[in-house]
């Protein structure tokens, strides 16, 4: 099998770049002379239809399609993206659209921490605090002020980059330009929208729609302090807490009326805490007016202020989410989940339903995605650009937890790493005459990830193990330091691996079937619906991962899938799999290898 894989790698490497078909651009606003075949008709579809799912792979130019449509429509357009780095990518299109308006047409508002503060040498990161977070209301001057290095400044600073950007964005939005928000500031805008027409968009694009939907449905957690207030007002919550105390893993889903009451009391608890925070801010502001405070007393008060302002911000986002959950409980399945320590409200619904409900008043909606989802009201628009990138399926065995660890087949993992991962990695390093960095999607961290990292280390390889909950940091470390391999989990959506010519999918990324979320869905909708959702979730994550290590048609990149479970899922959900993925797939093994052959390549 290894020889077959290496021969296939050689063939892909030496093959000429794919023949990409272009067509003349139909709209002069389109910022390139020529369009990829399919882009003109995708723009037409967005212009003609009110509800569109734009389905194409990474690097195929979906962004320029929806931005062109937005500029032609001249609607007040909101683009929502799930991650910060996607905002940077969208912002880069301003250069390309510069001919329309010298000042640019796309305005992105990122988190405040991403803008340079004049008191900081570099961009301030989340951990450090901005001097103005310790602002207070000066009664004699009747305005907010803050202190830095012993001097008092009015808030906000006239030349504050964030404030400038915010005003620019608001102006632009009034003038029907395009506003791009990330998931964090989207919730703030969503809240403002209720009160302020300014944030009421006419056209909404949800980019990476499936990732966005996943993040939104993950829901909202209840903190201990909130839980205490809720328990005071609600017997339902008391009942929940009692069960949690027994260390039970449970998911309460049977009774929507009960969830409604719990949400109402959650809302009340957060509002009460917000009021408390505001009162405390007032008290500290008053303290700060006192003339005879020592420096250390002042510093202590300022530190408290920063903490309280951050809490307030956190509560505001939370209120938006709770309101959305409560307003949609009749149409969307909302349930509570506990893991014996924490309580969460989550929801389960299709991507289409979620996006429709979030943006029910907008004239035009477009969801852009690389992995399609089922739709009834939206119209799917597909197009594909031929890429040199390939996905090689070379099964070593079933890599499930049950197969490998419960049935004692850890040799399978050793074989996968020693006989395939290491030799293919070295072969490609030699082929490219450079040290390649190779991510391995391990499916689970504590078992597969740790085990694989140990095998690699024992075989003299330098490997980084994904630090739980710190994906961005882990990737940065992997990129900057001298590692050959990264054992990573749940990175199918949150990462871009275009700088890695090789990656492995060691295990199909199923979520834990015993997670209370899965149990709640199974109980409410039955085994069949749950299983379909559960399996398609794993397969679509895998498909996503396979599209993430390439951006250009002529870029050489390989993904090797080693888990035999893939084959089962492929057969079951073949009709849902996007054509771009099927066209990249090369079967080297598996039950029906002979039937699939290389005609798909
Ligand atoms: S208002 Fe002033 S202190 Fe605050 S972020 Fe802006 S420049 Fe920095």
């Amino acid at each position: 099998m290894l020889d077959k894989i290496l021969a296939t790698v050689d063939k892909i490497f030496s093959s000429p770049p794919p023949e990409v078909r272009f067509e003349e651009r139909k709209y002069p606003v389109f910022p390139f002379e020529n369009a990829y075949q399919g882009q003109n008709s995708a723009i037409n579809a967005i212009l003609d239809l009110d509800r569109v799912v734009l389905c194409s792979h990474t690097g195929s130019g979906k962004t320029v399609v929806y931005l062109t449509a937005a500029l032609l429509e001249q609607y007040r357009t909101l683009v929502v993206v799930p991650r910060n780095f996607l905002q940077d990518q969208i912002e880069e299109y301003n250069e390309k659209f510069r001919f329309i308006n010298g000042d640019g047409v796309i305005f992105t508002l990122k988190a405040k921490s991403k803008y340079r503060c004049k008191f900081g040498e570099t961009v301030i990161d989340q951990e450090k605090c901005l001097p103005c977070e310790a602002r207070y209301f000066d009664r004699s001057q009747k305005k907010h002020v803050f202190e830095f290095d012993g001097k008092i400044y009015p808030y906000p600073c006239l030349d504050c980059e964030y404030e400038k950007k915010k005003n620019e964005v608001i102006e632009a939005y009034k003038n029907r330009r395009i506003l791009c928000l990330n998931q964090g500031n989207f919730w703030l805008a969503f809240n403002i929208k209720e009160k302020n027409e300014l944030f009421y968009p006419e056209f909404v694009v949800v980019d990476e729609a499936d990732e966005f939907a996943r993040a939104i449905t993950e829901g909202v957690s209840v903190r201990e302090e909130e839980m205490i207030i809720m328990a005071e007002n609600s017997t339902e919550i008391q009942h929940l807490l009692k069960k949690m105390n027994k260390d039970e893993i449970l998911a309460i889903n049977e009774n929507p009326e009960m969830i409604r009451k719990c949400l109402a009391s959650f809302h009340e608890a957060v509002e009460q805490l917000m009021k408390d925070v505001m009162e405390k801010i007032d008290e500290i502001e008053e303290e700060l007016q006192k003339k005879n405070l020592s420096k250390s007393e002042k510093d202590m008060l300022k530190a408290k202020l920063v903490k309280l302002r951050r809490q307030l911000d956190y509560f505001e986002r939370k209120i938006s989410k709770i309101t959305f959950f409560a307003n949609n409980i009749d149409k969307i399945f909302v349930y509570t989940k506990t893991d014996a320590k924490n309580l969460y409200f989550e929801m389960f619904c299709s991507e289409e339903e979620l996006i429709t409900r979030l943006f029910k008043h907008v004239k035009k909606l477009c969801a852009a995605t690389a992995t399609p989802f089922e739709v009834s009201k939206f119209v799917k628009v597909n197009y594909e650009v031929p890429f040199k990138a390939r996905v090689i399926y070379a099964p070593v065995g079933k890599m499930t937890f049950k197969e490998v660890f419960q049935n004692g087949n850890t040799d399978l993992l050793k074989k996968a790493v020693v006989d395939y991962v290491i030799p293919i990695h070295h072969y490609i390093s030699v082929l490219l005459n450079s040290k390649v960095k190779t991510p391995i999607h391990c499916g689970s961290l504590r078992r597969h990830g740790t085990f694989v990292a140990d095998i690699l280390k024992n075989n003299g390889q330098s490997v980084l193990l994904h630090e739980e909950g710190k994906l961005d940091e882990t990737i940065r470390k992997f990129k900057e330091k001298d590692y050959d391999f990264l054992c990573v989990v749940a990175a199918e959506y949150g990462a871009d691996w275009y700088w890695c010519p090789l990656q492995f999918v060691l295990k199909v990324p199923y979520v834990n079937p015993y997670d209370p979320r899965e149990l709640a869905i199974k109980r409410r909708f039955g085994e069949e619906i749950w299983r379909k959702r559960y399996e398609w979730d794993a397969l679509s994550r895998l498909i996503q991962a396979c599209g993430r290590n390439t951006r250009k048609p002529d870029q050489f990149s390989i993904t090797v899938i080693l888990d035999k479970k893939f084959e089962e899922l492929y057969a079951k959900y073949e009709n849902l799999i996007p054509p771009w993925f099927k066209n990249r797939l090369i079967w080297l093994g598996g039950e029906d290898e002979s039937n699939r052959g290389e005609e798909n390549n």
Side-chain angles (χ1 to χ4, degrees), residues 312-419:
L312 208 57
D313 196 43
Y314 167 80
F315 286 139
E316 268 182 30
R317 286 169 212 264
K318 210 164 205 179
I319 285 275
S320 295
K321 270 198 182 187
I322 301 168
T323 309
F324 176 69
F325 275 44
N327 289 347
N328 292 284
I329 196 163
D330 293 333
K331 295 283 186 288
I332 288 176
F333 171 48
V334 177
Y335 58 95
T336 60
K337 170 183 128 171
T338 88
D339 55 10
K341 280 195 212 98
N342 303 299
L343 176 64
Y344 309 87
F345 285 87
E346 294 194 339
M347 64 171 109
F348 174 72
C349 64
S350 70
E351 289 86 349
E352 183 185 59
E353 184 72 37
L354 179 79
I355 292 165
T356 308
R357 306 218 128 248
L358 273 172
F359 306 106
K360 54 183 173 222
H361 300 303
V362 306
K363 291 181 186 152
K364 210 173 251 303
L365 253 177
C366 170
T369 180
T371 39
F373 39 82
E374 284 181 289
V375 293
S376 59
K377 300 176 202 111
F378 280 56
V379 175
K380 270 188 199 168
V381 177
N382 283 290
Y383 75 92
E384 191 192 343
V385 181
F387 266 42
K388 185 166 175 150
R390 288 289 177 269
V391 178
I392 299 174
Y393 172 58
V396 174
K398 284 186 186 167
M399 297 293 183
T400 56
F401 172 75
K402 189 175 165 207
E403 202 63 46
V404 175
F405 293 104
Q406 283 184 340
N407 295 348
N409 276 332
T410 48
D411 278 353
L412 262 185
L413 270 190
K414 276 190 203 144
K415 185 177 160 58
V417 175
V418 176
D419 295 353

Side-chain angles (χ1 to χ4, degrees), residues 6 72 93 103 128 320 335 356 424 481 496 531 576:
L6 299 183
L72 288 164
Y93 273 94
D103 296 332
K128 296 178 198 153
S320 295
Y335 58 95
T356 308
I424 299 170
K481 302 246 162 95
D496 233 346
R531 182 160 294 283
L576 286 177

